[in-house]
Amino acid sequence: MSPRPGPTFPDWPQFDDTERRALDRALTQGQWWRMGGNEVDSFEREFAEYHGTRHALAVTNGTHALELALQAMGVGAGAEVIVPAFTFISSSQAAQRIGAVAVPVDVDPDTYNIDVTATAEVITPRTRVIMPVHMAGLVADMDALDKLAADAGVRIVQDAAHAHGARWRGKRVGELDSIAAFSFQNGKLMTAGEGGALLFPDADEYEKAFLHHSCGRPRTDRGYHHRVAGTNMRMNEFSAAVLRAQLGRLDRQIELREQRWPFLSALLSRIPGVRPQGGDTRADRNPHYMAMFRLPGWSEERRNLLVDRLVERGIPAYAGFRAIYRTAAFWETGAPEESVDAIARRCPNADAIGRDCVWLHHRTLLASEQVLTETAEIVADAVAAG
Ligand SMILES: *Cc1c(COP(=O)(O)O)cnc(C)c1O
């Protein structure tokens, strides 16, 4: 028997003549770095405006964006940064790289977003920042987090690497009054292969971040006046040109994914043992960076076999993030003085989700309902077999 052809999904990344023209524009400009060209400046204006704020800074990638956010706030050695235990490792690595301690907390078993009660329990006098991750585009409970942060006198940095165009009770990410960090890596909702950006509600911190991201050098400096310690995290003109084109198709794609996810999620929830990621009506615009579901009670090994089976059938499926404290990297520097087991005991949901979660690439949600019906049938078969 020959293998059945799998369902076909739209490609990712997507591009057309808009990106081609944009790259040509950047090339012929004759200035390929931001200090001489116009593309990064224009992209920053457009990205800030799109998210309802004034100050955006484009950088080399999302990991650097998080590092830079913390640095602009003066967070460094000795500080503690609270991060969800279930996230991509950059959330904690950014804190650890600048000498801070990353403190993992548990997440909600349904939304996979940071658990606010658990967060309150790990706040100490050294805590400087809470870093919610808007998991797969679902904005974390910003009302409760803002209140907790205000009461405790700590700041919030949004890891918005999954949340381009997301909203919380009608507010755009840039209107939520905290620094937000984005990624434009190849798989993200808009991309130039690599890249990142920050939104700042505060002009002074934006200026600090600008200096730091350009070797401490003021914008118009010609005299090598390096005013603060810094590094080079500047985005190049080609990336920004492509990102301006990518931003132009984001709304249409979000609209489509917002229609498709309820459809797919309803089909998945009918499969015995499958539990799709939950929502929150207050997170009223979700760009759907991933289509996620759990197989509660499954072992990591069994989940991985399921992912293999889905991939064989042509589904762009992946295992979910491993709980950050279950990686070697986490323990190299900036880990709390707690054992793995102790952290795992207070993060039971992140621990379980790290074993039993599967995600499908967001290009799945750009496919037709027919294709999604086929997808759900394949998931049902694979789950029944496993
Ligand atoms: C992708 C991602 C990042 C880092 O972005 P890069 O551009 O790959 O450095 C940070 N946080 C989360 C949650 C991510 O998914």
Side-chain angles (χ1 to χ4, degrees), residues 61-64 66 87-88 90-91 133 159 161-162 182-185 188 194-196 289 321:
N61 59 61
T63 311
H64 283 166
L66 290 168
T87 179
F88 183 67
S90 293
S91 315
V133 177
D159 182 339
H162 304 172
F182 294 83
S183 165
F184 308 120
Q185 173 269 339
K188 297 285 153 73
E194 299 280 3
Y289 171 60
F321 306 121

Side-chain angles (χ1 to χ4, degrees), residues 254-264 288 365 369:
I254 292 177
E255 237 171 81
L256 191 54
R257 288 190 297 260
E258 281 206 298
Q259 287 166 18
R260 293 294 189 259
W261 170 248
F263 182 83
L264 177 64
H288 294 289
L365 298 176
E369 292 190 349

Side-chain angles (χ1 to χ4, degrees), residues 57-77:
L57 183 65
V59 295
T60 32
N61 59 61
T63 311
H64 283 166
L66 290 168
E67 279 183 40
L68 188 55
L70 296 172
Q71 269 166 335
M73 295 165 55
V75 175

Side-chain angles (χ1 to χ4, degrees), residues 61-281:
N61 59 61
T63 311
H64 283 166
L66 290 168
E67 279 183 40
L68 188 55
L70 296 172
Q71 269 166 335
M73 295 165 55
V75 175
E80 290 175 3
V81 177
I82 298 174
V83 297
F86 179 74
T87 179
F88 183 67
I89 197 84
S90 293
S91 315
S92 52
Q93 273 187 346
Q96 294 175 326
R97 276 262 301 168
I98 61 159
V101 172
V103 180
V105 286
D106 208 7
V107 296
D108 183 272
D110 183 46
T111 65
Y112 321 158
N113 271 337
I114 193 165
D115 179 324
V116 182
T117 308
T119 302
E121 282 162 10
V122 298
I123 290 180
T124 74
R126 291 175 303 281
T127 305
R128 292 285 313 279
V129 171
I130 302 169
M131 187 190 287
V133 177
H134 304 318
M135 185 52 63
L138 180 73
V139 177
D141 185 346
M142 293 304 286
D143 293 348
L145 287 165
D146 282 340
K147 182 171 186 315
L148 175 63
D151 290 350
V154 306
R155 302 273 306 271
I156 289 183
V157 170
Q158 303 173 62
D159 182 339
H162 304 172
H164 316 68
R167 292 189 193 179
W168 174 258
R169 295 201 295 107
K171 285 188 184 165
R172 293 172 280 179
V173 171
E175 295 171 312
L176 290 171
D177 233 30
S178 39
I179 298 179
F182 294 83
S183 165
F184 308 120
Q185 173 269 339
N186 195 73
K188 297 285 153 73
L189 293 170
M190 44 184 285
T191 181
E194 299 280 3
L198 286 160
L199 302 177
F200 294 89
D202 178 83
D204 288 344
E205 280 178 348
Y206 160 74
E207 291 298 341
K208 267 189 208 150
F210 187 96
L211 283 177
H212 187 92
H213 107 300
S214 191
C215 299
R217 216 172 165 188
R219 209 175 261 273
T220 54
D221 174 50
R222 290 177 193 278
Y224 299 98
H225 299 293
H226 302 274
R227 302 225 189 276
V228 299
T231 184
N232 181 356
M233 294 182 178
R234 292 187 302 261
M235 178 179 279
N236 67 72
E237 289 285 287
F238 303 112
S239 299
V242 168
L243 288 168
R244 292 177 72 190
Q246 295 271 302
L247 184 60
R249 52 166 76 85
L250 183 61
D251 278 336
R252 241 177 311 132
Q253 292 169 338
I254 292 177
E255 237 171 81
L256 191 54
R257 288 190 297 260
E258 281 206 298
Q259 287 166 18
R260 293 294 189 259
W261 170 248
F263 182 83
L264 177 64
S265 164
L267 295 176
L268 292 175
S269 66
R270 277 182 226 137
I271 304 169
V274 172
R275 193 165 136 202
Q277 182 189 20
D280 182 335
T281 52

